[in-house]
Amino acid sequence: MTVPPISTSDPQVSSEPRRTTKETHPHLPPGLILDENGKVCKVCNTWQDFAKINKKQQTQSSDGTSSQGKTALKGMSMAGFANLLNNSQASSSNNPTLAPVEVDRSNCPPDTASLGRSTWTFLHTTASYYPSNPTEIHQSKITNLLESLSIFYPCSWCAKDFQKDIRQNPPEVKNREDFMRWLCERHNTVNKKLNKPLFECSIKNLDRRWKDGPEDGSCD
Ligand SMILES: Cc1cc2nc3c(=O)[nH]c(=O)nc-3n(C[C@H](O)[C@H](O)[C@H](O)COP(=O)(O)OP(=O)(O)OC[C@H]3O[C@@H](n4cnc5c(N)ncnc54)[C@H](O)[C@@H]3O)c2cc1C
């Protein structure tokens, strides 16, 4: 079975280094990751990234932001804050988008963390239920899915790194156990990059987490 290599002309592949507001928008709060069009990218940042910047804005007393503006920033949704940054209107206290909003985030668009958790849940669960003796078609389809994910994953910087990783470590999909271990290692590559703890990639540990649940029955 042969799967064509990922083309480097795919739209999400870019040789551009990741850019943040620090380099590109010196008049805006630094540290937020931008998309490839230079806009603050919701699925490349977390709610916490926005909250940290909100907090900084509130503690800056001499930056010219009015108390009305500060109060508004405190309660602002991530979408509102992204719009604010994208419109370069950080000092405007008259902007209607500054109205305080208490957000129940359960029905909000995903940030990079919730998108990541959902995607890993889908991938590891799919690997857990992958056949022990997959057909050629199974192998080809799952490889296509992984390669497509590496192109269309909405956090484009994450997608770019994932593409590079699976180019260096092509999907191992000859059976369920190989696939589970391969995926665990790919997830650990991201964990390492983000300074998160590494997962122990034994089948027993993976089955416990993604298929059977713990022996004490606490997930039954
Ligand atoms: C393909 C892909 C690429 C990503 N790239 C980036 C990126 O470049 N930058 C970025 O900020 N975020 C990236 N993310 C998101 C990131 O990986 C996390 O999902 C996000 O930071 C939330 O992390 P979390 O701590 O909630 O747990 P997650 O990392 O989402 O993990 C969810 C659960 O999976 C289990 N787990 C952890 N590691 C493993 C493993 N190795 N194998 C099996 N199970 C495991 C744990 O029980 C954990 O609670 C990416 C996500 C995906 C799917």
Side-chain angles (χ1 to χ4, degrees), residues 18 112-113 116-117 119-120 124 153 158 161-162 184 187-188 190-191 193-194 196 199 206 209-210:
R18 183 179 309 209
T112 191
R117 272 194 293 275
T119 306
W120 288 124
H124 289 298
Y153 192 70
C158 309
D161 286 352
F162 190 54
C184 184
H187 193 163
N188 272 344
V190 180
N191 288 342
K193 182 172 72 172
L194 301 178
K196 289 180 192 262
F199 196 89
L206 287 163
R209 172 63 180 90
W210 293 108

Side-chain angles (χ1 to χ4, degrees), residues 58-162:
Q58 290 164 53
T59 53
Q60 282 166 0
S61 55
S62 59
D63 62 0
T65 308
S66 73
S67 58
Q68 186 190 345
K70 286 176 197 166
T71 309
L73 284 169
K74 188 178 175 189
M76 190 179 291
S77 68
M78 182 162 79
F81 200 70
N83 286 339
L84 175 69
L85 296 187
N86 285 335
N87 292 332
S88 299
Q89 289 169 334
S91 64
S92 166
S93 57
N94 300 323
N95 189 320
T97 62
L98 288 176
V101 183
E102 286 305 323
V103 181
D104 166 10
R105 292 189 178 134
S106 54
N107 284 312
C108 290
D111 67 353
T112 191
S114 62
L115 177 69
R117 272 194 293 275
S118 304
T119 306
W120 288 124
T121 297
F122 165 69
L123 290 174
H124 289 298
T125 310
T126 301
S128 297
Y129 288 87
Y130 187 71
S132 297
N133 292 305
T135 62
E136 290 283 305
I137 291 174
H138 284 135
Q139 293 179 58
S140 152
K141 294 284 184 196
I142 198 72
T143 304
N144 282 344
L145 186 147
L146 294 161
E147 294 190 343
S148 299
L149 179 79
S150 81
I151 293 166
F152 293 108
Y153 192 70
C155 163
S156 58
W157 304 110
C158 309
K160 190 170 150 268
D161 286 352
F162 190 54

Side-chain angles (χ1 to χ4, degrees), residues 3 10 19 24 43 61 75 115 129 138-139 163 166 184-186 209-210 217:
V3 177
D10 288 327
R19 293 179 307 154
T24 57
V43 286
S61 55
L115 177 69
Y129 288 87
H138 284 135
Q139 293 179 58
Q163 267 179 46
I166 69 171
C184 184
E185 285 157 14
R186 305 288 64 74
R209 172 63 180 90
W210 293 108

